[in-house]
Amino acid sequence: MQTFTDGPSDPQRERIFNAPFLPILIAASMPVLFWFQERLPDQGMSMAFRAVDLWQGRWSGLFTSMLLHGGWAHVAMNAVGALAFGTPVARLLSRGLGPLIFVALYIVSGAVAALGYGLCHPGSESHLVGASGAVFGLIGASTRLMGGHGRVMPLFHSAVLKQAGAWMAANLLVGLIGLAPGAGGASIAWEAHAFGFMVGIILIGPLGRWFGPGPDLRPARV
């Protein structure tokens, strides 16, 4: 990642412990929901997503699966990711309907991630759980905010493409090797992560224009 400083007048400089309310709420909800999940008779597996459900007309798992996790390490990993990468996105979408759009982006990223996984594995009866797809949506969105002075960088900017390539390479490597915190021997749905990432990195462009701050009117510096 790259940082750019314009001196003391730089607006909205990132501070680690000054996260907006919504990323904090999402991160805090994960351990709470998992605590309840562990106490369900079926450990919440009836709310997990299965690709076979798509072809049988059951779509609710696209949304409920992101409320579940496979273990406390899985919870911690996604909670940290939601807080870290949700913070710049929430700051961008902080005005008017922006907070509602932030939540919608998170949910849509998670649902499309599960849907994409289902389309890649038609008929599979494996249970897919976790908010990783939604979190990768936030990662994708934040990729276009790094070094952009709080505004969305062009999708095909070289810095954006390099970061996106690094994320997808790491995602593919971890998915194929199967070594990740919280995996617990379960396979990693790297395809879902990729679909969630694509949703975030694409949608943040129009969302930033419609619900983000106005144009940067500061004079260009040479």
PDB file of all heavy atoms in Angstrom, residues 126-153:
ATOM      1  N   SER A 126     -22.033 -29.678  -0.021  1.00  0.00           N
ATOM      2  CA  SER A 126     -21.158 -29.149   1.026  1.00  0.00           C
ATOM      3  C   SER A 126     -21.771 -27.887   1.632  1.00  0.00           C
ATOM      4  O   SER A 126     -22.407 -27.091   0.933  1.00  0.00           O
ATOM      5  CB  SER A 126     -19.773 -28.826   0.452  1.00  0.00           C
ATOM      6  OG  SER A 126     -19.150 -29.984  -0.049  1.00  0.00           O
ATOM      7  N   HIS A 127     -21.577 -27.709   2.936  1.00  0.00           N
ATOM      8  CA  HIS A 127     -22.111 -26.544   3.635  1.00  0.00           C
ATOM      9  C   HIS A 127     -21.104 -25.398   3.583  1.00  0.00           C
ATOM     10  O   HIS A 127     -19.936 -25.573   3.955  1.00  0.00           O
ATOM     11  CB  HIS A 127     -22.412 -26.890   5.093  1.00  0.00           C
ATOM     12  CG  HIS A 127     -23.559 -27.838   5.253  1.00  0.00           C
ATOM     13  ND1 HIS A 127     -23.421 -29.209   5.111  1.00  0.00           N
ATOM     14  CD2 HIS A 127     -24.865 -27.619   5.533  1.00  0.00           C
ATOM     15  CE1 HIS A 127     -24.590 -29.795   5.304  1.00  0.00           C
ATOM     16  NE2 HIS A 127     -25.486 -28.846   5.560  1.00  0.00           N
ATOM     17  N   LEU A 128     -21.561 -24.257   3.117  1.00  0.00           N
ATOM     18  CA  LEU A 128     -20.727 -23.063   3.043  1.00  0.00           C
ATOM     19  C   LEU A 128     -21.153 -22.106   4.154  1.00  0.00           C
ATOM     20  O   LEU A 128     -22.326 -21.729   4.241  1.00  0.00           O
ATOM     21  CB  LEU A 128     -20.889 -22.386   1.681  1.00  0.00           C
ATOM     22  CG  LEU A 128     -20.071 -21.103   1.450  1.00  0.00           C
ATOM     23  CD1 LEU A 128     -18.586 -21.440   1.360  1.00  0.00           C
ATOM     24  CD2 LEU A 128     -20.531 -20.401   0.179  1.00  0.00           C
ATOM     25  N   VAL A 129     -20.216 -21.730   5.019  1.00  0.00           N
ATOM     26  CA  VAL A 129     -20.526 -20.799   6.105  1.00  0.00           C
ATOM     27  C   VAL A 129     -19.447 -19.725   6.160  1.00  0.00           C
ATOM     28  O   VAL A 129     -18.315 -19.922   5.707  1.00  0.00           O
ATOM     29  CB  VAL A 129     -20.608 -21.516   7.468  1.00  0.00           C
ATOM     30  CG1 VAL A 129     -21.718 -22.555   7.470  1.00  0.00           C
ATOM     31  CG2 VAL A 129     -19.280 -22.163   7.846  1.00  0.00           C
ATOM     32  N   GLY A 130     -19.801 -18.597   6.728  1.00  0.00           N
ATOM     33  CA  GLY A 130     -18.831 -17.538   6.959  1.00  0.00           C
ATOM     34  C   GLY A 130     -19.143 -16.251   6.230  1.00  0.00           C
ATOM     35  O   GLY A 130     -19.799 -16.245   5.193  1.00  0.00           O
ATOM     36  N   ALA A 131     -18.638 -15.156   6.799  1.00  0.00           N
ATOM     37  CA  ALA A 131     -18.818 -13.829   6.216  1.00  0.00           C
ATOM     38  C   ALA A 131     -17.652 -13.440   5.324  1.00  0.00           C
ATOM     39  O   ALA A 131     -17.518 -12.274   4.945  1.00  0.00           O
ATOM     40  CB  ALA A 131     -18.983 -12.797   7.336  1.00  0.00           C
ATOM     41  N   SER A 132     -16.803 -14.412   4.963  1.00  0.00           N
ATOM     42  CA  SER A 132     -15.603 -14.084   4.192  1.00  0.00           C
ATOM     43  C   SER A 132     -15.924 -13.435   2.848  1.00  0.00           C
ATOM     44  O   SER A 132     -15.222 -12.530   2.402  1.00  0.00           O
ATOM     45  CB  SER A 132     -14.765 -15.340   3.960  1.00  0.00           C
ATOM     46  OG  SER A 132     -14.392 -15.928   5.186  1.00  0.00           O
ATOM     47  N   GLY A 133     -16.977 -13.902   2.182  1.00  0.00           N
ATOM     48  CA  GLY A 133     -17.345 -13.301   0.908  1.00  0.00           C
ATOM     49  C   GLY A 133     -17.729 -11.843   1.055  1.00  0.00           C
ATOM     50  O   GLY A 133     -17.332 -10.988   0.246  1.00  0.00           O
ATOM     51  N   ALA A 134     -18.490 -11.529   2.113  1.00  0.00           N
ATOM     52  CA  ALA A 134     -18.870 -10.142   2.378  1.00  0.00           C
ATOM     53  C   ALA A 134     -17.652  -9.309   2.744  1.00  0.00           C
ATOM     54  O   ALA A 134     -17.503  -8.161   2.311  1.00  0.00           O
ATOM     55  CB  ALA A 134     -19.913 -10.097   3.496  1.00  0.00           C
ATOM     56  N   VAL A 135     -16.759  -9.882   3.553  1.00  0.00           N
ATOM     57  CA  VAL A 135     -15.537  -9.173   3.938  1.00  0.00           C
ATOM     58  C   VAL A 135     -14.660  -8.919   2.722  1.00  0.00           C
ATOM     59  O   VAL A 135     -14.077  -7.836   2.575  1.00  0.00           O
ATOM     60  CB  VAL A 135     -14.766  -9.969   5.009  1.00  0.00           C
ATOM     61  CG1 VAL A 135     -13.394  -9.356   5.256  1.00  0.00           C
ATOM     62  CG2 VAL A 135     -15.570 -10.019   6.310  1.00  0.00           C
ATOM     63  N   PHE A 136     -14.579  -9.883   1.816  1.00  0.00           N
ATOM     64  CA  PHE A 136     -13.798  -9.666   0.594  1.00  0.00           C
ATOM     65  C   PHE A 136     -14.435  -8.583  -0.270  1.00  0.00           C
ATOM     66  O   PHE A 136     -13.737  -7.925  -1.051  1.00  0.00           O
ATOM     67  CB  PHE A 136     -13.632 -10.972  -0.181  1.00  0.00           C
ATOM     68  CG  PHE A 136     -12.319 -11.649   0.084  1.00  0.00           C
ATOM     69  CD1 PHE A 136     -12.164 -12.471   1.178  1.00  0.00           C
ATOM     70  CD2 PHE A 136     -11.233 -11.436  -0.748  1.00  0.00           C
ATOM     71  CE1 PHE A 136     -10.947 -13.084   1.446  1.00  0.00           C
ATOM     72  CE2 PHE A 136     -10.009 -12.036  -0.499  1.00  0.00           C
ATOM     73  CZ  PHE A 136      -9.858 -12.867   0.613  1.00  0.00           C
ATOM     74  N   GLY A 137     -15.741  -8.395  -0.163  1.00  0.00           N
ATOM     75  CA  GLY A 137     -16.363  -7.265  -0.840  1.00  0.00           C
ATOM     76  C   GLY A 137     -15.830  -5.953  -0.311  1.00  0.00           C
ATOM     77  O   GLY A 137     -15.551  -5.015  -1.080  1.00  0.00           O
ATOM     78  N   LEU A 138     -15.646  -5.876   1.011  1.00  0.00           N
ATOM     79  CA  LEU A 138     -15.070  -4.678   1.616  1.00  0.00           C
ATOM     80  C   LEU A 138     -13.598  -4.527   1.233  1.00  0.00           C
ATOM     81  O   LEU A 138     -13.114  -3.412   1.028  1.00  0.00           O
ATOM     82  CB  LEU A 138     -15.211  -4.743   3.136  1.00  0.00           C
ATOM     83  CG  LEU A 138     -16.647  -4.794   3.683  1.00  0.00           C
ATOM     84  CD1 LEU A 138     -16.626  -4.887   5.209  1.00  0.00           C
ATOM     85  CD2 LEU A 138     -17.446  -3.570   3.230  1.00  0.00           C
ATOM     86  N   ILE A 139     -12.895  -5.653   1.142  1.00  0.00           N
ATOM     87  CA  ILE A 139     -11.496  -5.596   0.718  1.00  0.00           C
ATOM     88  C   ILE A 139     -11.395  -5.059  -0.708  1.00  0.00           C
ATOM     89  O   ILE A 139     -10.550  -4.202  -1.010  1.00  0.00           O
ATOM     90  CB  ILE A 139     -10.849  -6.991   0.813  1.00  0.00           C
ATOM     91  CG1 ILE A 139     -10.747  -7.439   2.274  1.00  0.00           C
ATOM     92  CG2 ILE A 139      -9.458  -6.981   0.165  1.00  0.00           C
ATOM     93  CD1 ILE A 139     -10.241  -8.857   2.451  1.00  0.00           C
ATOM     94  N   GLY A 140     -12.264  -5.563  -1.588  1.00  0.00           N
ATOM     95  CA  GLY A 140     -12.263  -5.072  -2.958  1.00  0.00           C
ATOM     96  C   GLY A 140     -12.565  -3.588  -3.035  1.00  0.00           C
ATOM     97  O   GLY A 140     -11.903  -2.836  -3.765  1.00  0.00           O
ATOM     98  N   ALA A 141     -13.567  -3.149  -2.274  1.00  0.00           N
ATOM     99  CA  ALA A 141     -13.924  -1.728  -2.280  1.00  0.00           C
ATOM    100  C   ALA A 141     -12.784  -0.872  -1.743  1.00  0.00           C
ATOM    101  O   ALA A 141     -12.444   0.172  -2.309  1.00  0.00           O
ATOM    102  CB  ALA A 141     -15.192  -1.512  -1.462  1.00  0.00           C
ATOM    103  N   SER A 142     -12.174  -1.305  -0.645  1.00  0.00           N
ATOM    104  CA  SER A 142     -11.097  -0.511  -0.039  1.00  0.00           C
ATOM    105  C   SER A 142      -9.853  -0.475  -0.910  1.00  0.00           C
ATOM    106  O   SER A 142      -9.044   0.450  -0.795  1.00  0.00           O
ATOM    107  CB  SER A 142     -10.754  -1.070   1.349  1.00  0.00           C
ATOM    108  OG  SER A 142     -10.180  -2.357   1.252  1.00  0.00           O
ATOM    109  N   THR A 143      -9.702  -1.452  -1.798  1.00  0.00           N
ATOM    110  CA  THR A 143      -8.549  -1.467  -2.703  1.00  0.00           C
ATOM    111  C   THR A 143      -8.527  -0.221  -3.580  1.00  0.00           C
ATOM    112  O   THR A 143      -7.457   0.278  -3.942  1.00  0.00           O
ATOM    113  CB  THR A 143      -8.590  -2.735  -3.584  1.00  0.00           C
ATOM    114  OG1 THR A 143      -8.461  -3.883  -2.746  1.00  0.00           O
ATOM    115  CG2 THR A 143      -7.474  -2.740  -4.604  1.00  0.00           C
ATOM    116  N   ARG A 144      -9.701   0.290  -3.920  1.00  0.00           N
ATOM    117  CA  ARG A 144      -9.765   1.491  -4.757  1.00  0.00           C
ATOM    118  C   ARG A 144      -9.739   2.775  -3.942  1.00  0.00           C
ATOM    119  O   ARG A 144      -9.866   3.877  -4.496  1.00  0.00           O
ATOM    120  CB  ARG A 144     -11.017   1.455  -5.635  1.00  0.00           C
ATOM    121  CG  ARG A 144     -10.971   0.348  -6.672  1.00  0.00           C
ATOM    122  CD  ARG A 144     -12.221   0.325  -7.523  1.00  0.00           C
ATOM    123  NE  ARG A 144     -12.370   1.540  -8.319  1.00  0.00           N
ATOM    124  CZ  ARG A 144     -13.411   1.768  -9.126  1.00  0.00           C
ATOM    125  NH1 ARG A 144     -14.364   0.836  -9.239  1.00  0.00           N
ATOM    126  NH2 ARG A 144     -13.491   2.885  -9.815  1.00  0.00           N
ATOM    127  N   LEU A 145      -9.573   2.658  -2.614  1.00  0.00           N
ATOM    128  CA  LEU A 145      -9.527   3.843  -1.758  1.00  0.00           C
ATOM    129  C   LEU A 145      -8.136   4.113  -1.215  1.00  0.00           C
ATOM    130  O   LEU A 145      -7.872   5.191  -0.703  1.00  0.00           O
ATOM    131  CB  LEU A 145     -10.507   3.680  -0.579  1.00  0.00           C
ATOM    132  CG  LEU A 145     -11.980   3.539  -0.964  1.00  0.00           C
ATOM    133  CD1 LEU A 145     -12.829   3.285   0.276  1.00  0.00           C
ATOM    134  CD2 LEU A 145     -12.476   4.771  -1.696  1.00  0.00           C
ATOM    135  N   MET A 146      -7.247   3.116  -1.302  1.00  0.00           N
ATOM    136  CA  MET A 146      -5.911   3.278  -0.753  1.00  0.00           C
ATOM    137  C   MET A 146      -5.125   4.294  -1.580  1.00  0.00           C
ATOM    138  O   MET A 146      -4.891   4.105  -2.768  1.00  0.00           O
ATOM    139  CB  MET A 146      -5.170   1.937  -0.755  1.00  0.00           C
ATOM    140  CG  MET A 146      -5.875   0.846   0.047  1.00  0.00           C
ATOM    141  SD  MET A 146      -6.096   1.319   1.777  1.00  0.00           S
ATOM    142  CE  MET A 146      -6.933  -0.144   2.402  1.00  0.00           C
ATOM    143  N   GLY A 147      -4.708   5.375  -0.962  1.00  0.00           N
ATOM    144  CA  GLY A 147      -3.947   6.404  -1.670  1.00  0.00           C
ATOM    145  C   GLY A 147      -4.798   7.331  -2.492  1.00  0.00           C
ATOM    146  O   GLY A 147      -4.269   8.130  -3.261  1.00  0.00           O
ATOM    147  N   GLY A 148      -6.136   7.264  -2.327  1.00  0.00           N
ATOM    148  CA  GLY A 148      -7.012   8.101  -3.132  1.00  0.00           C
ATOM    149  C   GLY A 148      -7.524   9.332  -2.424  1.00  0.00           C
ATOM    150  O   GLY A 148      -8.494   9.940  -2.863  1.00  0.00           O
ATOM    151  N   HIS A 149      -6.890   9.714  -1.299  1.00  0.00           N
ATOM    152  CA  HIS A 149      -7.310  10.896  -0.534  1.00  0.00           C
ATOM    153  C   HIS A 149      -8.792  10.824  -0.172  1.00  0.00           C
ATOM    154  O   HIS A 149      -9.520  11.819  -0.220  1.00  0.00           O
ATOM    155  CB  HIS A 149      -7.036  12.190  -1.317  1.00  0.00           C
ATOM    156  CG  HIS A 149      -5.580  12.431  -1.578  1.00  0.00           C
ATOM    157  ND1 HIS A 149      -4.664  12.714  -0.576  1.00  0.00           N
ATOM    158  CD2 HIS A 149      -4.860  12.381  -2.732  1.00  0.00           C
ATOM    159  CE1 HIS A 149      -3.461  12.867  -1.111  1.00  0.00           C
ATOM    160  NE2 HIS A 149      -3.545  12.658  -2.410  1.00  0.00           N
ATOM    161  N   GLY A 150      -9.253   9.628   0.203  1.00  0.00           N
ATOM    162  CA  GLY A 150     -10.648   9.475   0.616  1.00  0.00           C
ATOM    163  C   GLY A 150     -11.619   9.394  -0.533  1.00  0.00           C
ATOM    164  O   GLY A 150     -12.825   9.435  -0.317  1.00  0.00           O
ATOM    165  N   ARG A 151     -11.120   9.269  -1.750  1.00  0.00           N
ATOM    166  CA  ARG A 151     -11.980   9.164  -2.924  1.00  0.00           C
ATOM    167  C   ARG A 151     -11.611   7.926  -3.722  1.00  0.00           C
ATOM    168  O   ARG A 151     -10.535   7.365  -3.566  1.00  0.00           O
ATOM    169  CB  ARG A 151     -11.902  10.442  -3.766  1.00  0.00           C
ATOM    170  CG  ARG A 151     -12.613  11.612  -3.079  1.00  0.00           C
ATOM    171  CD  ARG A 151     -12.304  12.936  -3.740  1.00  0.00           C
ATOM    172  NE  ARG A 151     -13.107  13.994  -3.152  1.00  0.00           N
ATOM    173  CZ  ARG A 151     -12.832  14.584  -1.987  1.00  0.00           C
ATOM    174  NH1 ARG A 151     -11.771  14.219  -1.291  1.00  0.00           N
ATOM    175  NH2 ARG A 151     -13.621  15.528  -1.512  1.00  0.00           N
ATOM    176  N   VAL A 152     -12.516   7.511  -4.601  1.00  0.00           N
ATOM    177  CA  VAL A 152     -12.349   6.254  -5.322  1.00  0.00           C
ATOM    178  C   VAL A 152     -11.383   6.415  -6.483  1.00  0.00           C
ATOM    179  O   VAL A 152     -11.557   7.298  -7.327  1.00  0.00           O
ATOM    180  CB  VAL A 152     -13.712   5.752  -5.843  1.00  0.00           C
ATOM    181  CG1 VAL A 152     -13.542   4.405  -6.536  1.00  0.00           C
ATOM    182  CG2 VAL A 152     -14.711   5.622  -4.695  1.00  0.00           C
ATOM    183  N   MET A 153     -10.378   5.547  -6.517  1.00  0.00           N
ATOM    184  CA  MET A 153      -9.423   5.552  -7.626  1.00  0.00           C
ATOM    185  C   MET A 153     -10.012   4.812  -8.819  1.00  0.00           C
ATOM    186  O   MET A 153     -10.892   3.954  -8.659  1.00  0.00           O
ATOM    187  CB  MET A 153      -8.116   4.887  -7.182  1.00  0.00           C
ATOM    188  CG  MET A 153      -7.412   5.612  -6.046  1.00  0.00           C
ATOM    189  SD  MET A 153      -5.949   4.707  -5.451  1.00  0.00           S
ATOM    190  CE  MET A 153      -4.872   4.860  -6.882  1.00  0.00           C
TER     191      MET A 153
END
